[in-house]
Amino acid sequence: MSNASLSPLPSADHPDVAARLREALLGASFTADGLLELLGAPAYAALSRSETVPALRATRGDTPLELLVRLFLLQQPVPHARVADVLPLDDCLAHGWLVRTDGEEVAAAVDVRPYGGPDGEDWFIVSDLGCAVGGAGGIGNRAEGVVLGVGGASTTLAGLTVRAPVRAALDLGTGSGIQALHASGHATRVTATDVNPRALHIAALTLALSGAPAADLREGSLYEPVGEETYDLIVSNPPFVISPGARLTYRDGGMAGDDLCRTLVQQTGRRLAEGGFAHFLANWQHVEGRDWTERLRSWVPDGCDAWIVQREVQDITQYAELWLRDAGDHRGDTAAYEARYDAWLDEFEARGVKAVGFGWITLRRTAAAAPSVTVEEWPHPVEQPLGETVRAHFDRVDYLRANDDAALLAACFTLAGEVVQEQVGPPGAEDPEHVVLRQNRGMRRATRVDTVGAGFAGVCDGTMTAGRILDAIAQLVGEDPVALRDRTPAQIRLLVEQGFLEPA
């Protein structure tokens, strides 16, 4: 890690200054839509990869928007006189948003990045210089305590979160405040915590510059800052990287193995209000001789339904290389890089770890006598945002828990929207080898069904009970209707569970 120092931050005690700066930025169309129009899609996408050359080429003019892109996104000094035409310059200098450089130029003290909210809001994410893009390979500043901006993990978590009006929300490990900003749109009260006081300061700037209500900011690890308070929504993109030691605050949890993620999940149950949701991103170890799904089931606290989805698995060499590159170690001394690589492998081998999984964990507080825990692997493309899909999953859990097979046969169902049927078999065959139902929305699942299941799903329009449909199918195929009623509810239950069928 380099010895780069961190620059002083703008004052967080003057929301009126942030409001005037926000007004000036919006007046110059310094927004997500404005950037896309100015830069074009390729240069705009390149910025998300921390590649600045296309944006530099696209901002050679002298318009206010080009000036702001060079100043805040590309961290280029710009002429003092031109900035005074666009921004409240004296306020920005006096309160630390801008700093004077040598000569007649000013520079940004922090990265300010336009960010489009889910309902078209014009928000701004503040982060340390060179750290606007979170994730491996995107960070230009390695100083301890550095605060990242928006990365793929941030947007993934925001898209997963169930958005419903709530009394109280908690963003645990807030970083630059992205999740707190999202929560501010539907929570009466938002609490945000972090072990890094610099992160809390930057989160306050993000909220103020975005025109969002201030959050209750508290310093500390995990649930220490909130004690036994309960919340209707808890979100966390924690420092989940499994590493030997804690070199970088934003990613290394400082606990052995995956203990930080396990502890976070296990301590969440008693902090959730009844019916409340918790959403986490996490890494977990695949330990020799243990089923990874059973390890994760053991994390789920009592009184909570859970849905855990593994999105990716890397062997220990891939994983070590990913995060060594994130720290820039591959660009330094070769011997030091090899020593660190060795230390990662030593740590994994000592713990019997053969691979590391990455994915999502969602908990919901429930009063049910038998909570539902689903652990699955789904590495395929999905459609974000998934918040409504997550909510619907738990609604289906409630429905299936409350209805036995007899109740399913007496119920009416409809086929979910945008489900297609695929028949698989050799060309020219009279009958397919098997039939696949495929979703084009949400999780985009595919599931194999038999001909009865396919026929059943195809006629579910909410007008006939499942039992009557099966009786009609039995007559059509010449099968005993009692036998068909006995063996089909399990398939109906699976189709409901995975979202292919919806109770009418």
Short mmCIF file of all heavy atoms in Angstrom, two decimals, residues 363-399:
data_model
loop_
_atom_site.label_atom_id
_atom_site.label_comp_id
_atom_site.label_asym_id
_atom_site.label_seq_id
_atom_site.Cartn_x
_atom_site.Cartn_y
_atom_site.Cartn_z
N LEU A 363 -32.35 -11.41 5.22
CA LEU A 363 -33.08 -11.93 6.38
C LEU A 363 -34.40 -11.17 6.51
O LEU A 363 -34.48 -9.99 6.17
CB LEU A 363 -32.28 -11.73 7.67
CG LEU A 363 -30.87 -12.30 7.75
CD1 LEU A 363 -30.24 -11.94 9.09
CD2 LEU A 363 -30.86 -13.80 7.55
N ARG A 364 -35.42 -11.87 7.02
CA ARG A 364 -36.67 -11.20 7.37
C ARG A 364 -37.13 -11.73 8.72
O ARG A 364 -37.21 -12.96 8.92
CB ARG A 364 -37.76 -11.46 6.33
CG ARG A 364 -39.05 -10.70 6.64
CD ARG A 364 -40.18 -11.09 5.73
NE ARG A 364 -40.53 -12.50 5.87
CZ ARG A 364 -41.63 -13.06 5.36
NH1 ARG A 364 -42.49 -12.32 4.70
NH2 ARG A 364 -41.86 -14.34 5.51
N ARG A 365 -37.39 -10.83 9.63
CA ARG A 365 -37.86 -11.23 10.96
C ARG A 365 -39.27 -11.81 10.85
O ARG A 365 -40.14 -11.22 10.20
CB ARG A 365 -37.88 -10.02 11.89
CG ARG A 365 -38.15 -10.36 13.35
CD ARG A 365 -36.95 -11.01 14.00
NE ARG A 365 -37.25 -11.48 15.34
CZ ARG A 365 -36.40 -12.16 16.09
NH1 ARG A 365 -35.20 -12.45 15.62
NH2 ARG A 365 -36.74 -12.55 17.29
N THR A 366 -39.48 -12.99 11.45
CA THR A 366 -40.77 -13.65 11.35
C THR A 366 -41.18 -14.25 12.69
O THR A 366 -40.33 -14.63 13.49
CB THR A 366 -40.73 -14.77 10.29
OG1 THR A 366 -42.01 -15.40 10.21
CG2 THR A 366 -39.70 -15.84 10.64
N ALA A 367 -42.49 -14.34 12.90
CA ALA A 367 -43.02 -15.00 14.09
C ALA A 367 -43.39 -16.45 13.80
O ALA A 367 -43.93 -17.13 14.67
CB ALA A 367 -44.26 -14.24 14.59
N ALA A 368 -43.10 -16.92 12.58
CA ALA A 368 -43.46 -18.29 12.21
C ALA A 368 -42.74 -19.30 13.09
O ALA A 368 -41.57 -19.10 13.47
CB ALA A 368 -43.13 -18.54 10.74
N ALA A 369 -43.42 -20.38 13.41
CA ALA A 369 -42.83 -21.42 14.25
C ALA A 369 -41.66 -22.10 13.56
O ALA A 369 -40.71 -22.54 14.22
CB ALA A 369 -43.90 -22.44 14.62
N ALA A 370 -41.72 -22.20 12.22
CA ALA A 370 -40.66 -22.87 11.46
C ALA A 370 -40.16 -21.91 10.38
O ALA A 370 -40.68 -21.90 9.26
CB ALA A 370 -41.17 -24.16 10.84
N PRO A 371 -39.17 -21.08 10.68
CA PRO A 371 -38.64 -20.16 9.67
C PRO A 371 -38.14 -20.90 8.43
O PRO A 371 -37.69 -22.04 8.51
CB PRO A 371 -37.49 -19.45 10.40
CG PRO A 371 -37.86 -19.53 11.84
CD PRO A 371 -38.52 -20.87 11.99
N SER A 372 -38.19 -20.21 7.31
CA SER A 372 -37.75 -20.76 6.03
C SER A 372 -36.34 -20.27 5.73
O SER A 372 -36.08 -19.07 5.78
CB SER A 372 -38.71 -20.32 4.92
OG SER A 372 -38.14 -20.55 3.64
N VAL A 373 -35.44 -21.19 5.40
CA VAL A 373 -34.07 -20.83 5.02
C VAL A 373 -33.77 -21.44 3.66
O VAL A 373 -33.74 -22.67 3.52
CB VAL A 373 -33.04 -21.31 6.06
CG1 VAL A 373 -31.62 -20.95 5.59
CG2 VAL A 373 -33.31 -20.69 7.42
N THR A 374 -33.57 -20.60 2.66
CA THR A 374 -33.24 -21.04 1.31
C THR A 374 -31.80 -20.64 1.01
O THR A 374 -31.47 -19.45 1.09
CB THR A 374 -34.18 -20.41 0.27
OG1 THR A 374 -35.53 -20.80 0.55
CG2 THR A 374 -33.82 -20.86 -1.13
N VAL A 375 -30.96 -21.61 0.67
CA VAL A 375 -29.58 -21.33 0.27
C VAL A 375 -29.39 -21.95 -1.11
O VAL A 375 -29.61 -23.15 -1.29
CB VAL A 375 -28.56 -21.94 1.26
CG1 VAL A 375 -27.14 -21.57 0.85
CG2 VAL A 375 -28.84 -21.47 2.68
N GLU A 376 -29.00 -21.14 -2.08
CA GLU A 376 -28.89 -21.65 -3.44
C GLU A 376 -27.75 -20.97 -4.18
O GLU A 376 -27.24 -19.93 -3.76
CB GLU A 376 -30.20 -21.40 -4.20
CG GLU A 376 -30.57 -19.92 -4.33
CD GLU A 376 -31.80 -19.71 -5.19
OE1 GLU A 376 -31.94 -20.40 -6.22
OE2 GLU A 376 -32.63 -18.85 -4.82
N GLU A 377 -27.39 -21.57 -5.30
CA GLU A 377 -26.38 -21.00 -6.18
C GLU A 377 -27.08 -20.56 -7.46
O GLU A 377 -27.81 -21.34 -8.08
CB GLU A 377 -25.30 -22.03 -6.49
CG GLU A 377 -24.17 -21.48 -7.33
CD GLU A 377 -22.93 -22.37 -7.32
OE1 GLU A 377 -23.08 -23.56 -6.98
OE2 GLU A 377 -21.84 -21.89 -7.65
N TRP A 378 -26.89 -19.31 -7.83
CA TRP A 378 -27.48 -18.78 -9.06
C TRP A 378 -26.50 -17.79 -9.68
O TRP A 378 -26.54 -16.60 -9.43
CB TRP A 378 -28.83 -18.10 -8.78
CG TRP A 378 -29.56 -17.75 -10.05
CD1 TRP A 378 -29.74 -16.50 -10.58
CD2 TRP A 378 -30.17 -18.65 -10.97
NE1 TRP A 378 -30.42 -16.58 -11.77
CE2 TRP A 378 -30.71 -17.89 -12.03
CE3 TRP A 378 -30.32 -20.05 -11.00
CZ2 TRP A 378 -31.38 -18.47 -13.11
CZ3 TRP A 378 -31.00 -20.62 -12.07
CH2 TRP A 378 -31.51 -19.84 -13.10
N PRO A 379 -25.55 -18.30 -10.52
CA PRO A 379 -24.53 -17.43 -11.11
C PRO A 379 -24.97 -16.75 -12.40
O PRO A 379 -24.18 -16.04 -13.02
CB PRO A 379 -23.39 -18.42 -11.39
CG PRO A 379 -24.10 -19.72 -11.69
CD PRO A 379 -25.34 -19.73 -10.82
N HIS A 380 -26.22 -16.95 -12.81
CA HIS A 380 -26.69 -16.47 -14.11
C HIS A 380 -27.15 -15.01 -14.05
O HIS A 380 -27.41 -14.47 -12.97
CB HIS A 380 -27.81 -17.39 -14.60
CG HIS A 380 -27.47 -18.84 -14.52
ND1 HIS A 380 -26.48 -19.41 -15.30
CD2 HIS A 380 -27.94 -19.84 -13.73
CE1 HIS A 380 -26.38 -20.70 -15.00
NE2 HIS A 380 -27.25 -20.98 -14.05
N PRO A 381 -27.29 -14.36 -15.20
CA PRO A 381 -27.72 -12.96 -15.21
C PRO A 381 -29.10 -12.78 -14.58
O PRO A 381 -29.98 -13.64 -14.70
CB PRO A 381 -27.76 -12.61 -16.71
CG PRO A 381 -26.81 -13.58 -17.35
CD PRO A 381 -26.93 -14.84 -16.55
N VAL A 382 -29.28 -11.66 -13.89
CA VAL A 382 -30.56 -11.31 -13.28
C VAL A 382 -30.92 -9.89 -13.73
O VAL A 382 -30.10 -9.19 -14.32
CB VAL A 382 -30.50 -11.37 -11.74
CG1 VAL A 382 -30.20 -12.79 -11.28
CG2 VAL A 382 -29.48 -10.39 -11.19
N GLU A 383 -32.16 -9.50 -13.46
CA GLU A 383 -32.61 -8.17 -13.84
C GLU A 383 -32.71 -7.29 -12.59
O GLU A 383 -33.56 -7.51 -11.75
CB GLU A 383 -33.99 -8.26 -14.52
CG GLU A 383 -34.52 -6.90 -14.95
CD GLU A 383 -35.99 -6.97 -15.36
OE1 GLU A 383 -36.79 -7.63 -14.65
OE2 GLU A 383 -36.33 -6.35 -16.37
N GLN A 384 -31.82 -6.32 -12.49
CA GLN A 384 -31.89 -5.36 -11.39
C GLN A 384 -32.76 -4.17 -11.79
O GLN A 384 -32.85 -3.86 -12.98
CB GLN A 384 -30.48 -4.87 -11.04
CG GLN A 384 -29.65 -5.85 -10.22
CD GLN A 384 -29.94 -5.72 -8.73
OE1 GLN A 384 -31.06 -5.42 -8.31
NE2 GLN A 384 -28.93 -5.95 -7.92
N PRO A 385 -33.46 -3.51 -10.84
CA PRO A 385 -33.43 -3.79 -9.41
C PRO A 385 -34.28 -5.00 -9.04
O PRO A 385 -35.27 -5.30 -9.69
CB PRO A 385 -34.01 -2.51 -8.79
CG PRO A 385 -34.90 -1.96 -9.86
CD PRO A 385 -34.26 -2.29 -11.16
N LEU A 386 -33.85 -5.70 -7.98
CA LEU A 386 -34.49 -6.95 -7.55
C LEU A 386 -35.30 -6.80 -6.27
O LEU A 386 -35.77 -7.80 -5.73
CB LEU A 386 -33.42 -8.03 -7.34
CG LEU A 386 -32.95 -8.77 -8.59
CD1 LEU A 386 -31.72 -9.62 -8.25
CD2 LEU A 386 -34.04 -9.66 -9.16
N GLY A 387 -35.43 -5.59 -5.77
CA GLY A 387 -36.12 -5.42 -4.49
C GLY A 387 -37.52 -6.02 -4.48
O GLY A 387 -37.91 -6.71 -3.53
N GLU A 388 -38.30 -5.78 -5.54
CA GLU A 388 -39.65 -6.34 -5.60
C GLU A 388 -39.61 -7.86 -5.72
O GLU A 388 -40.47 -8.57 -5.20
CB GLU A 388 -40.42 -5.74 -6.77
CG GLU A 388 -41.11 -4.43 -6.43
CD GLU A 388 -42.09 -4.59 -5.26
OE1 GLU A 388 -43.08 -5.32 -5.41
OE2 GLU A 388 -41.84 -3.98 -4.21
N THR A 389 -38.60 -8.39 -6.43
CA THR A 389 -38.44 -9.84 -6.54
C THR A 389 -38.13 -10.45 -5.18
O THR A 389 -38.65 -11.51 -4.82
CB THR A 389 -37.32 -10.16 -7.54
OG1 THR A 389 -37.67 -9.63 -8.82
CG2 THR A 389 -37.09 -11.66 -7.66
N VAL A 390 -37.30 -9.77 -4.39
CA VAL A 390 -36.97 -10.25 -3.05
C VAL A 390 -38.22 -10.24 -2.16
O VAL A 390 -38.51 -11.22 -1.46
CB VAL A 390 -35.85 -9.40 -2.43
CG1 VAL A 390 -35.62 -9.77 -0.97
CG2 VAL A 390 -34.55 -9.57 -3.23
N ARG A 391 -38.96 -9.14 -2.20
CA ARG A 391 -40.18 -9.07 -1.40
C ARG A 391 -41.16 -10.17 -1.79
O ARG A 391 -41.75 -10.84 -0.93
CB ARG A 391 -40.84 -7.69 -1.59
CG ARG A 391 -42.11 -7.52 -0.77
CD ARG A 391 -42.96 -6.37 -1.29
NE ARG A 391 -43.27 -6.51 -2.70
CZ ARG A 391 -44.16 -7.35 -3.19
NH1 ARG A 391 -44.84 -8.16 -2.39
NH2 ARG A 391 -44.37 -7.42 -4.50
N ALA A 392 -41.32 -10.39 -3.11
CA ALA A 392 -42.24 -11.41 -3.58
C ALA A 392 -41.81 -12.81 -3.15
O ALA A 392 -42.64 -13.67 -2.86
CB ALA A 392 -42.36 -11.34 -5.10
N HIS A 393 -40.50 -13.05 -3.08
CA HIS A 393 -40.00 -14.35 -2.61
C HIS A 393 -40.52 -14.64 -1.20
O HIS A 393 -41.01 -15.74 -0.92
CB HIS A 393 -38.47 -14.36 -2.61
CG HIS A 393 -37.87 -15.51 -1.86
ND1 HIS A 393 -37.61 -16.73 -2.44
CD2 HIS A 393 -37.48 -15.63 -0.55
CE1 HIS A 393 -37.10 -17.56 -1.54
NE2 HIS A 393 -37.01 -16.91 -0.39
N PHE A 394 -40.43 -13.66 -0.32
CA PHE A 394 -40.85 -13.88 1.06
C PHE A 394 -42.38 -13.93 1.18
O PHE A 394 -42.92 -14.63 2.04
CB PHE A 394 -40.23 -12.84 1.98
CG PHE A 394 -38.76 -13.05 2.19
CD1 PHE A 394 -37.82 -12.40 1.40
CD2 PHE A 394 -38.31 -13.93 3.15
CE1 PHE A 394 -36.46 -12.61 1.58
CE2 PHE A 394 -36.95 -14.15 3.35
CZ PHE A 394 -36.03 -13.50 2.55
N ASP A 395 -43.08 -13.22 0.29
CA ASP A 395 -44.55 -13.36 0.26
C ASP A 395 -44.93 -14.79 -0.10
O ASP A 395 -45.87 -15.37 0.46
CB ASP A 395 -45.15 -12.39 -0.76
CG ASP A 395 -45.14 -10.94 -0.28
OD1 ASP A 395 -44.87 -10.71 0.92
OD2 ASP A 395 -45.37 -10.04 -1.12
N ARG A 396 -44.20 -15.37 -1.05
CA ARG A 396 -44.49 -16.76 -1.45
C ARG A 396 -44.14 -17.74 -0.33
O ARG A 396 -44.82 -18.75 -0.14
CB ARG A 396 -43.73 -17.11 -2.73
CG ARG A 396 -44.19 -16.31 -3.94
CD ARG A 396 -43.64 -16.90 -5.24
NE ARG A 396 -42.19 -16.90 -5.30
CZ ARG A 396 -41.48 -15.90 -5.80
NH1 ARG A 396 -42.08 -14.81 -6.27
NH2 ARG A 396 -40.16 -15.96 -5.84
N VAL A 397 -43.07 -17.44 0.41
CA VAL A 397 -42.73 -18.26 1.58
C VAL A 397 -43.91 -18.30 2.54
O VAL A 397 -44.30 -19.36 3.04
CB VAL A 397 -41.46 -17.71 2.27
CG1 VAL A 397 -41.30 -18.31 3.68
CG2 VAL A 397 -40.22 -18.02 1.43
N ASP A 398 -44.49 -17.13 2.82
CA ASP A 398 -45.64 -17.06 3.73
C ASP A 398 -46.81 -17.87 3.18
O ASP A 398 -47.49 -18.60 3.92
CB ASP A 398 -46.07 -15.60 3.92
CG ASP A 398 -45.11 -14.82 4.80
OD1 ASP A 398 -44.32 -15.44 5.53
OD2 ASP A 398 -45.13 -13.57 4.72
N TYR A 399 -47.07 -17.74 1.88
CA TYR A 399 -48.20 -18.43 1.27
C TYR A 399 -48.03 -19.95 1.36
O TYR A 399 -48.96 -20.67 1.76
CB TYR A 399 -48.35 -18.00 -0.19
CG TYR A 399 -49.44 -18.75 -0.92
CD1 TYR A 399 -50.76 -18.35 -0.81
CD2 TYR A 399 -49.14 -19.85 -1.71
CE1 TYR A 399 -51.78 -19.04 -1.47
CE2 TYR A 399 -50.14 -20.56 -2.36
CZ TYR A 399 -51.46 -20.15 -2.23
OH TYR A 399 -52.46 -20.84 -2.86
#
